[in-house]
């Protein structure tokens, strides 16, 4: 029994201090190994508002240890202003692939960005003001400050070097498009594959003329800033021209006042060009509602009351797509939809007679006008697609063998 | 006249198109300020355009009432709703419209208890339309619609607990359909759309697509 007691006491004497030390060390290390390579530099590819700081990771990095960066305008200043405080197991170079790429050693270095203007509470600092930084490591009451003073000044950049890949692609695609525009001028007889939805436009307009019922053109929900709305107004122009020729009745519903104004002008000019300015009625191009579901209710009401012979849903649509198209389907109208909103495409395909899928929306204007220069762009789009397919196949093969450089080459920042 | 209606808009489209394309590649403050100014112009124009839209709406419905066209009674509700909303908007909970907007006023009540539920009601119809559209589409009349039917059934079953109850493979197959063939098709469409958007932008910038100005070519 005595031996047992002795053993217990001996164990307790050794075990208690050891376990206490372990717990204390986990919460707050007794000594801190300072990081190294503390440097500051102007953040590349920005408007000149941030300074980047980097330093090597320390073996002490843990959630209980913090890095604090102090800022001062003077190299010999007191460095009392705290610019940023981060947990020492966060903010690595991996968070900035646009600067450091995808190297494995990025995990061994910390990286933060400082917004001097924010640190100085919105104070406008002089241009090219050099700022000085000191790094401290804090754990509980223990604090070590590095002697190194890093300095940098934030400067605006005139070229986003990480967007050069995007720029090059844009130049190549633009060159292809321009080449085919010039080529189409010389060779106007260009073959175009048939687009069912666009071939059916004449059929739909003819039906509306014969039935003496209106044609309803429904814009999507986006404004004139959206490229799909611009494409929609181009299609509207072609349709309005044909309607003016057929002497049918066109109604254009809008949910954006600017789109409405543009549509009014487009339809008016089309009627004028067709030699039928008298047939144009500005009240037929109108705003029904500026909110999504009131727009749906109003357009649905027009469909059920006036029973148009043909409905065109052209532009960018959201949840209203199916409600509109299904309401139109119940009225027995020929329905042609065109959208680049891929989430709504299945609904249009289900409920409309013809659907222009994605790029066909942009091809419509050229297809309907048959103007050689516009048709040249369609050929260019096909060549561009071919190029992208080759890159995709190449990228897939290389990625399958663990070579990801092509992925990073085309990365967007 | 042609100069004002054609040449100037084309020059504006070209200059602004090129300028904003370049702006995307310039991160400098001057470039960011330009973007901000242009965006501000856009917002200002949109603000004024609301009056044009309101005029169009009221003019249209006034004509309908005046001519007593079919369903003219609904047009009265447009005026009724607009006038009520305007009155409570101007009253601003007794503080009037020249003060900051007050919370919990009758104007808010109209929005939260009339407009929002009415919008939600329209949105809820979507569920029934999805059912009717699905019924039409999923009839296995052709090879394509049969594939669509099978894929849809697997995805639907994979998204509900009973799918996993029947077989643990159903959710896995559903995920595969969404992540592989569905994503591939989606990306294919997006690539085409992007190329189409570039081509359309270029056509507008260099002025060969002029139909958005009205009158075709």
């Amino acid at each position: 029994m005595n031996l047992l007691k002795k053993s217990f006491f001996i164990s307790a004497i050794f075990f208690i201090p050891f376990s206490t030390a372990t717990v204390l060390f986990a919460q707050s290390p007794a000594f801190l190994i300072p990081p190294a390579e503390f440097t500051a530099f102007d953040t590349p590819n920005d408007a000149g508002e941030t300074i980047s700081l980097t330093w090597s990771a320390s073996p002490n990095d843990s959630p209980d240890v913090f890095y604090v960066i102090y800022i001062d305008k003077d190299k010999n200043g007191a460095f009392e202003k705290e610019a940023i405080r981060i947990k020492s197991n966060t903010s690595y170079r991996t968070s900035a692939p646009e600067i450091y790429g995808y190297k494995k050693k990025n995990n061994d270095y910390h990286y933060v960005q400082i917004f001097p203007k924010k640190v100085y509470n919105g104070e406008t600092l002089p241009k090219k003001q050099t700022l000085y930084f000191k790094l401290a490591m804090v754990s509980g009451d223990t604090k070590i400050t590095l002697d190194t003073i890093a300095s940098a000044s934030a400067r605006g950049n005139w070229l986003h070097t990480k967007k050069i890949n995007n720029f090059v692609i844009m130049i190549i695609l633009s060159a292809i498009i321009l080449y085919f525009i010039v080529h189409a001028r010389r060779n106007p007889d260009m073959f175009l594959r048939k687009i069912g939805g666009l071939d059916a436009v004449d059929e739909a307009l003819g039906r509306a003329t014969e039935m003496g019922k209106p044609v309803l053109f429904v814009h999507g929900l986006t404004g004139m800033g959206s490229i799909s709305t611009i494409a929609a107004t181009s299609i509207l122009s072609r349709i309005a021209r044909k309607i003016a020729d057929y002497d049918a009745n066109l109604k254009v519903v809008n949910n954006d006042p600017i789109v409405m104004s543009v549509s009014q002008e487009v339809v008016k000019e089309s009627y004028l060009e067709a030699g039928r300015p008298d047939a144009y009625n500005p009240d037929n191009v109108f705003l029904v509602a500026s909110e999504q579901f009131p727009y749906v209710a109003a357009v649905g009401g027009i469909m059920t009351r006036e029973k148009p012979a043909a409905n065109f849903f052209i532009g960018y649509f959201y949840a209203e797509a199916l409600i509109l198209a299904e309401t139109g389907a119940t009225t027995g109208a020929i329905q042609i939809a065109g959208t680049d909103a891929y989430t709504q495409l299945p609904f249009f395909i289900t409920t409309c007679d013809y659907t222009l899928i994605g790029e066909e929306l942009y091809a419509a204007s050229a297809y309907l006008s048959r103007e050689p220069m516009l048709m040249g762009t369609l050929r260019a789009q096909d060549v561009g697609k071919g190029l992208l397919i080759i890159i995709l196949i190449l990228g897939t093969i290389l990625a399958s063998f663990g070579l990801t450089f092509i992925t990073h080459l085309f990365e967007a920042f | 006249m042609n100069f004002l209606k054609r040449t100037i808009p084309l020059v504006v489209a070209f200059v602004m198109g090129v300028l904003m394309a370049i702006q995307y590649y310039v991160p400098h403050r001057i470039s960011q300020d330009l973007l901000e100014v242009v965006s501000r112009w856009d917002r200002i124009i949109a603000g004024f355009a609301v009056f044009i839209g309101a005029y169009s709406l009221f003019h249209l419905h006034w004509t309908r009432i005046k001519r007593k066209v079919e369903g003219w009674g609904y047009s009265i509700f447009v005026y009724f709703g607009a006038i009520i909303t305007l009155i409570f908007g101007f009253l601003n909970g007794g503080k009037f419209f020249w003060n900051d907007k007050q919370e919990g006023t009758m104007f808010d009540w109209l929005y939260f208890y009339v407009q929002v539920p009415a919008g939600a009601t329209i949105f809820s119809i979507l569920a029934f339309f999805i059912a009717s559209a699905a019924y039409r589409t999923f009839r296995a009349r052709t090879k394509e619609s049969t594939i669509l039917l099978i894929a849809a059934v697997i995805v639907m079953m994979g998204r509900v607990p009973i799918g996993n109850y029947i077989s643990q493979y159903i959710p896995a197959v559903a995920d595969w359909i969404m992540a592989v063939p569905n994503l591939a098709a989606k990306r294919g469409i997006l690539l085409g759309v992007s190329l189409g958007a570039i081509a359309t932008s270029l056509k507008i910038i260099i002025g060969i697509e002029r139909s958005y100005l009205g009158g075709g070519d």
Side-chain angles (χ1 to χ4, degrees):
Chain A
M1 192 65 190
N2 209 13
L3 188 72
L4 196 70
K5 274 185 181 176
K6 262 186 185 174
S7 308
F8 176 75
F9 274 113
I10 289 164
S11 307
I13 287 161
F14 281 99
F15 178 73
I16 291 168
F18 179 74
S19 60
T20 314
T22 312
V23 170
L24 280 175
F25 190 78
Q27 285 175 348
S28 119
F31 58 92
L32 294 168
I33 301 166
E37 298 172 67
F38 179 55
T39 51
F41 59 94
D42 167 40
T43 307
N45 304 320
D46 78 340
E49 289 171 339
T50 62
I51 290 173
S52 294
L53 295 154
T54 182
W55 63 95
S56 64
S58 162
N60 291 121
D61 285 357
S62 73
D64 304 313
V65 179
F66 293 86
Y67 285 116
V68 184
I69 289 166
Y70 294 96
I71 187 170
D72 209 301
K73 294 175 194 169
D74 183 7
K75 193 178 181 180
N76 303 312
F79 288 93
E80 286 171 342
K81 198 165 194 63
E82 197 174 303
I84 199 167
R85 176 183 285 257
I86 57 160
K87 280 183 182 174
S88 64
N89 63 338
T90 60
S91 300
Y92 291 94
R93 281 184 181 179
T94 44
S95 64
E98 69 278 13
I99 298 174
Y100 294 105
Y102 296 90
K103 295 166 199 157
K104 277 183 185 170
K105 65 173 186 178
N106 284 351
N107 270 320
D108 301 334
Y109 289 89
H110 289 282
Y111 171 80
V112 290
Q113 273 185 14
I114 306 286
F115 289 79
K117 200 173 178 179
K118 273 188 193 169
V119 174
Y120 285 103
N121 301 320
E123 181 190 331
T124 308
L125 300 169
K127 273 184 183 174
K128 298 175 186 174
Q129 160 87 54
T130 304
L131 293 165
Y132 300 91
F133 301 92
K134 268 196 162 186
L135 175 68
M137 203 175 182
V138 179
S139 172
D141 295 333
T142 316
K143 177 180 170 182
I144 51 162
T145 308
L146 265 69
D147 291 333
T148 317
I149 295 175
S151 67
S153 59
R155 290 166 193 225
N157 302 106
W158 286 100
L159 177 67
H160 197 301
T161 51
K162 290 291 168 184
K163 283 183 180 172
I164 287 176
N165 54 2
N166 184 298
F167 185 74
V168 170
I169 295 168
M170 185 194 74
I171 294 293
I172 292 171
L173 291 176
S174 302
I176 294 171
I177 292 166
L178 290 173
Y179 169 77
F180 278 101
I181 287 170
V182 175
H183 181 74
R185 283 171 83 174
R186 290 190 207 128
N187 307 286
D189 299 323
M190 196 177 277
F191 170 76
L192 280 183
R193 71 175 169 88
K194 279 199 165 295
I195 300 176
L198 295 173
D199 287 336
V201 168
D202 281 332
E203 180 195 338
L205 301 185
R207 184 173 182 259
T209 313
E210 280 173 16
M211 291 172 75
K213 286 188 171 180
V215 172
L216 186 68
F217 188 96
V218 182
H219 273 294
L221 286 191
T222 48
M224 263 337 275
S226 159
I227 196 80
S228 36
T229 309
I230 295 174
T233 51
S234 296
I235 298 169
L236 173 64
S237 167
R238 312 292 177 195
I239 290 172
R241 172 73 199 267
K242 283 175 190 276
I243 283 177
D245 285 337
Y246 290 178
D247 197 19
N249 186 16
L250 170 69
K251 293 208 166 189
V252 184
V253 290
N254 304 271
N255 85 322
D256 182 290
I258 297 177
V259 176
M260 182 201 75
S261 302
V262 173
S263 299
Q264 279 180 338
E265 199 60 27
V266 159
V267 174
K268 188 179 158 187
E269 288 288 324
S270 297
Y271 273 75
L272 198 66
E273 205 173 66
R276 301 283 324 279
D278 53 304
Y280 170 67
N281 179 5
D283 285 348
N284 281 346
V285 185
F286 51 95
L287 182 107
V288 288
S290 56
E291 297 278 324
Q292 184 183 25
F293 291 112
Y295 182 61
V296 173
V299 178
I302 291 168
M303 284 175 185
T304 44
R305 279 193 303 275
E306 301 188 18
K307 296 201 168 33
N311 293 330
F312 289 89
F313 305 103
I314 313 283
Y316 199 93
F317 291 85
Y318 296 90
E320 72 286 354
L322 182 64
I323 307 178
L324 290 173
E326 190 70 359
T327 308
T330 57
T331 64
I334 282 192
Q335 302 206 107
I336 299 174
T339 188
D340 51 352
Y342 60 82
T343 50
Q344 304 306 321
L345 275 170
F347 298 130
F348 278 137
I349 291 168
T350 307
T351 47
C352 293
D353 299 287
Y354 301 96
T355 306
L356 306 176
I357 299 171
E359 61 184 327
E360 289 175 349
L361 172 70
Y362 300 106
S365 179
Y367 192 91
L368 290 173
S369 70
R370 295 277 161 179
E371 207 207 314
M373 285 212 292
L374 292 178
M375 291 197 329
T377 60
L378 301 187
R379 179 60 62 84
Q381 277 174 246
D382 286 343
V383 172
K385 262 186 287 179
L387 209 64
L388 287 177
I389 289 168
I390 292 168
I391 293 167
L392 280 173
I393 292 170
L394 201 65
T396 309
I397 293 167
L398 290 174
S400 304
F401 288 102
L403 300 166
T404 53
F405 76 91
I406 201 161
T407 313
H408 301 319
L409 196 66
F410 288 96
E411 194 164 4
F413 290 104
Chain B
M1 196 62 186
N2 204 37
F3 178 75
L4 283 176
K5 289 196 83 172
R6 285 284 158 146
T7 314
I8 288 184
L10 287 174
V11 170
V12 170
F14 177 78
V15 172
M16 291 310 290
V18 172
L19 204 62
M20 296 320 288
I22 293 170
Q23 187 281 328
Y24 178 74
Y25 300 101
V26 180
H28 199 276
R29 171 68 15 225
I30 293 170
S31 162
Q32 303 304 316
D33 288 346
L34 172 75
L35 181 66
E36 177 57 35
V37 166
V38 174
S39 307
R40 213 175 287 161
W41 285 358
D42 186 36
R43 289 198 293 273
I44 292 167
I45 293 167
F48 280 106
V50 168
F51 292 105
I52 301 170
Y55 169 76
S56 164
L57 184 74
F58 292 127
H59 177 71
L60 177 83
H61 287 281
W62 175 246
T63 313
R64 289 172 65 87
I65 293 167
K66 205 166 66 178
R67 291 183 189 161
K68 297 229 170 7
V69 295
E70 192 191 345
W72 65 275
Y74 299 119
S75 297
I76 294 175
F77 276 94
V78 173
Y79 275 93
F80 179 73
I83 289 166
I84 292 279
T85 312
L86 273 174
I87 288 170
F88 286 115
F90 284 137
L91 281 175
N92 194 18
K95 297 269 183 184
F96 297 102
F97 64 94
W98 50 80
N99 289 303
D100 288 346
K101 190 193 161 292
Q102 304 297 302
E103 296 299 320
T105 61
M106 194 61 189
F107 183 80
D108 286 348
W109 189 91
L110 283 169
Y111 178 74
F112 288 114
Y113 298 107
V114 179
Q115 190 172 337
V116 172
T121 307
I122 298 288
F123 189 33
S124 66
I125 298 170
L126 189 63
F128 300 99
F129 281 151
I130 286 176
S132 67
Y135 174 75
R136 269 211 309 275
T137 311
F138 294 161
R139 278 178 296 181
R141 286 178 300 189
T142 61
K143 198 168 63 185
E144 287 85 0
S145 57
T146 310
I147 294 168
L148 185 65
L149 173 66
I150 294 166
V153 169
I154 293 170
V155 172
M156 280 194 284
M157 294 297 274
R159 291 282 181 268
V160 287
I162 197 168
N164 193 36
Y165 184 75
I166 295 165
S167 166
Q168 58 174 342
Y169 295 109
I170 292 176
V173 175
D175 287 344
W176 180 84
I177 290 171
M178 293 304 289
V180 182
N182 176 61
L183 194 63
K186 204 160 82 176
R187 285 184 181 167
I189 291 170
L190 278 176
L191 284 175
V193 165
S194 308
L195 281 168
I198 293 170
T200 305
S201 308
L202 208 61
K203 280 187 282 185
I204 290 167
I205 288 172
I206 61 176
I208 60 163
E209 173 68 90
R210 301 169 186 190
S211 52
Y212 70 98
L213 295 172
D217 321 310

